[in-house]
Amino acid sequence: KNGLPMDLSLKLYNMTSHSFDMAELDKEEEHDFSRIGTSDLIAVSIMIPGFKWSNRVSLPVDSQEETLTLYTEGDLPLELKANISREGRGDRRVIIYSTTCILNNTSHPLRLFIKSSRQPQLLAGQDEENPDKASNLIITNEKNELILTNGQAKSKPFSLRTAGMLNIIDVIGIKTPHEATLKTTNRKYQFSISSELAAPSRDEYIVSQVVTISPRYVFVNKVSTQINIHQVGADHDILPLEANEREEFYWRDAKKAELIRMQPIYDETEENNSENAWDVSGVIDLQTIAGTTIQCRHKYMAHKSFFIKIDIYNDQSSQFVTFEEANLKFCSYRLENDSSVVTVRYYQIDHPKTADFLEPESTAPYAWVEPNDSRRLKLECYINEPDAKGRVPKKVIEIKIDKLHTEQKIIVTNGRTKMKHRLRVIVKPDGMAKVLKISDISLKSQTRSSLRETDLFSAKDLLQITVKLPQVGVSLIANGHRNTGRVRKRELLYVSIMNTALDVHQTSTDRNL
């Protein structure tokens, strides 16, 4: 049986009758040689595309495993395995397979080299004359550490012997000689290398390792217009993404932090779109941004924002980062001003230029301008009736909108009448949203508030736990039959859960999960 992911040619030598047969086997194809006796002395030689005929290997009567060695035209070696077992009638069953298959699931012409104390050696199975030609499938039995290259950029040595694990490999350097002449900064290409076990034969406990090289990040633009993405500190090198386009992402400057900004490139309501009307977003950390809505501010209209939700999901070892316009009805944060007279000016701490206003008896969605900075809001509460000198007294407070049941009671003074107006500011859950609610406290409710209401708004924090898990993986591996003195193991199932977050908040009055 051909257990390789490619076609092979085979010569079977019968040394007892001094004859031989030839066969062409497609991948996973089986071929019966009925003229071979159960006790005949036989040997086999194979050839696959890109390689010369292998050495001739005897196939013993007893069950065991033999090694076939093939060479490329440049004399690079490749070892394959021939597993020999006995069937019920005494027939010998031979499966030709490779211990490792490497798949290139990227758009880059990646090449693999074997680490050596001298010059790294090209791993057999790749185009030896054309380095720009990618080999999307490589079979190997190499046990030494490998080096991954992308043009002139290369990685540190790494091992493939990590079944069930996900490794991130950095390939750093200049990709082409032309980039070197332009004095381009060193790039950082990041690839996810996943490994799983697979059986080349359905009825045998023979295990091959399937290694897949994928881009770590793939950006997907679901916004209705083009967006520009750039690495912080490398603003000149922009990745443009048209609407509904996806693109593999790499870091433009290996020495800069792995942070990005994004920007919608035009405002379709503007008559003249020659200059982009939207400002760039705040700093985005891909390790913590999943499920977060951010806002990009308009350059010329002070209170206009573009809300974009960023999600991250895993597919084939890559992290797909999606950008889409947020549904303002289901934002993560909402501000509700139920007061009949108080106006609220609000903004993220340390970013007063991004302030918006919440008029009495109004509601507004909210998203962070700088998601990497302190996630606290500053509120300036005032009654829009100035005193004799034209001054408007304000009450300024800070509040953590992520902390449920955070509550403050404040007093706002009317500049004209000098009367005191009492407010309650509290953070409440509403489904998946956190609602910052501002409401009036009447004099009547202050003089005879019930015990139950007093307890509600004097709730004390008893417990708050926040757990964020980048990845949790569980592998189920079964022991196989004993073959050639070794226990063959097979991975039956691998489950991976990415970007899991759990928040538990308990007060003296209630509990939220």
Side-chain angles (χ1 to χ4, degrees), residues 238-258:
I238 294 174
L239 171 66
L241 280 180
E242 297 287 348
N244 300 315
E245 184 183 7
R246 64 174 60 190
E247 185 74 32
E248 297 177 16
F249 178 77
Y250 62 88
W251 301 106
R252 269 54 181 176
D253 192 334
K255 293 183 179 180
K256 302 295 184 181
E258 295 181 4

Side-chain angles (χ1 to χ4, degrees), residues 385-414:
E385 294 188 19
D387 59 15
K389 295 183 179 181
R391 296 173 300 185
V392 177
K394 296 180 180 180
K395 178 63 177 179
V396 181
I397 63 172
E398 295 181 7
I399 195 162
K400 293 182 178 180
I401 194 172
D402 280 320
K403 188 176 181 180
L404 293 174
H405 301 291
T406 298
E407 183 257 346
Q408 295 187 42
K409 294 178 182 178
I410 62 175
I411 296 176
V412 180
T413 303
N414 188 314

Side-chain angles (χ1 to χ4, degrees), residues 127-191:
D127 195 314
E128 300 172 42
E129 297 181 356
N130 185 4
D132 295 328
K133 185 176 180 180
S135 298
N136 295 325
L137 171 63
I138 303 173
I139 58 175
T140 183
N141 189 36
E142 187 57 51
K143 297 180 175 61
N144 294 322
E145 290 187 319
L146 300 178
I147 297 173
L148 183 64
T149 68
N150 183 19
Q152 297 183 7
K154 65 180 181 179
S155 74
K156 293 181 179 180
F158 64 94
S159 174
L160 297 178
R161 306 301 172 185
T162 53
M165 299 293 291
L166 180 67
N167 293 332
I168 304 299
I169 303 297
D170 294 340
V171 178
I172 298 176
I174 303 298
K175 186 174 180 180
T176 64
H178 177 66
E179 289 181 342
T181 62
L182 298 176
K183 297 182 179 181
T184 307
T185 56
N186 280 342
R187 314 296 199 189
K188 181 189 287 186
Y189 301 91
Q190 288 188 320
F191 301 101

Side-chain angles (χ1 to χ4, degrees), residues 258-292:
E258 295 181 4
L259 303 169
I260 65 169
R261 295 181 189 269
M262 62 82 57
Q263 179 186 31
I265 67 161
Y266 74 91
D267 180 2
E268 59 186 12
T269 63
E270 295 286 331
E271 293 183 2
N272 184 6
N273 290 328
S274 59
E275 182 180 357
N276 185 22
W278 294 104
D279 209 343
V280 295
S281 73
V283 175
I284 299 170
D285 186 347
L286 297 177
Q287 301 302 309
T288 59
I289 199 66
T292 302

Side-chain angles (χ1 to χ4, degrees), residues 281-499:
S281 73
V283 175
I284 299 170
D285 186 347
L286 297 177
Q287 301 302 309
T288 59
I289 199 66
T292 302
T293 299
I294 65 172
Q295 59 169 306
C296 295
R297 307 287 296 186
H298 201 281
K299 289 181 179 179
Y300 314 115
M301 303 174 68
H303 307 301
K304 186 174 182 180
S305 297
F306 199 130
F307 284 68
I308 296 178
K309 185 177 181 182
I310 303 175
D311 272 321
I312 299 179
Y313 67 91
N314 280 54
D315 187 6
Q316 295 182 349
S317 305
S318 296
Q319 289 188 312
F320 284 73
V321 183
T322 63
F323 302 85
E324 61 181 326
E325 295 177 49
N327 187 334
L328 299 185
K329 294 182 180 179
F330 302 101
C331 269
S332 300
Y333 305 101
R334 189 169 71 250
L335 278 59
E336 295 182 355
N337 184 8
D338 291 344
S339 173
S340 58
V341 294
V342 173
T343 300
V344 180
R345 180 175 181 262
Y346 61 94
Y347 55 89
Q348 186 175 356
I349 291 291
D350 300 328
H351 299 284
K353 292 183 179 180
T354 65
D356 280 315
F357 292 87
L358 198 61
E359 300 294 336
E361 299 179 342
S362 64
T363 301
Y366 184 75
W368 299 111
V369 177
E370 288 287 349
N372 247 28
D373 289 356
S374 177
R375 294 194 174 190
R376 293 180 297 155
L377 281 180
K378 179 168 281 190
L379 306 181
E380 299 177 0
C381 305
Y382 61 93
I383 299 173
N384 199 15
E385 294 188 19
D387 59 15
K389 295 183 179 181
R391 296 173 300 185
V392 177
K394 296 180 180 180
K395 178 63 177 179
V396 181
I397 63 172
E398 295 181 7
I399 195 162
K400 293 182 178 180
I401 194 172
D402 280 320
K403 188 176 181 180
L404 293 174
H405 301 291
T406 298
E407 183 257 346
Q408 295 187 42
K409 294 178 182 178
I410 62 175
I411 296 176
V412 180
T413 303
N414 188 314
R416 182 176 61 83
T417 65
K418 308 302 180 184
M419 293 187 63
K420 307 292 184 183
H421 195 86
R422 292 172 174 81
L423 292 177
R424 176 181 289 119
V425 182
I426 186 171
V427 180
K428 293 183 174 182
D430 182 13
M432 297 298 292
K434 295 180 176 71
V435 180
L436 177 63
K437 195 176 186 66
I438 304 161
S439 56
D440 297 328
I441 302 177
S442 65
L443 181 61
K444 183 177 180 180
S445 65
Q446 284 289 292
T447 56
R448 59 181 188 84
S449 59
S450 65
L451 178 61
R452 179 175 177 275
E453 186 177 356
T454 302
D455 288 342
L456 175 63
F457 293 104
S458 61
K460 296 181 179 180
D461 285 337
L462 300 179
L463 176 68
Q464 183 164 9
I465 301 174
T466 301
V467 179
K468 292 184 178 180
L469 302 174
Q471 180 180 10
V472 179
V474 178
S475 179
L476 181 63
I477 299 178
N479 285 341
H481 300 304
R482 292 189 177 276
N483 189 9
T484 67
R486 294 183 298 174
V487 176
R488 295 285 182 176
K489 296 186 177 182
R490 181 181 183 186
E491 184 177 52
L492 303 179
L493 176 68
Y494 180 72
V495 179
S496 178
I497 303 174
M498 307 295 294
N499 299 320

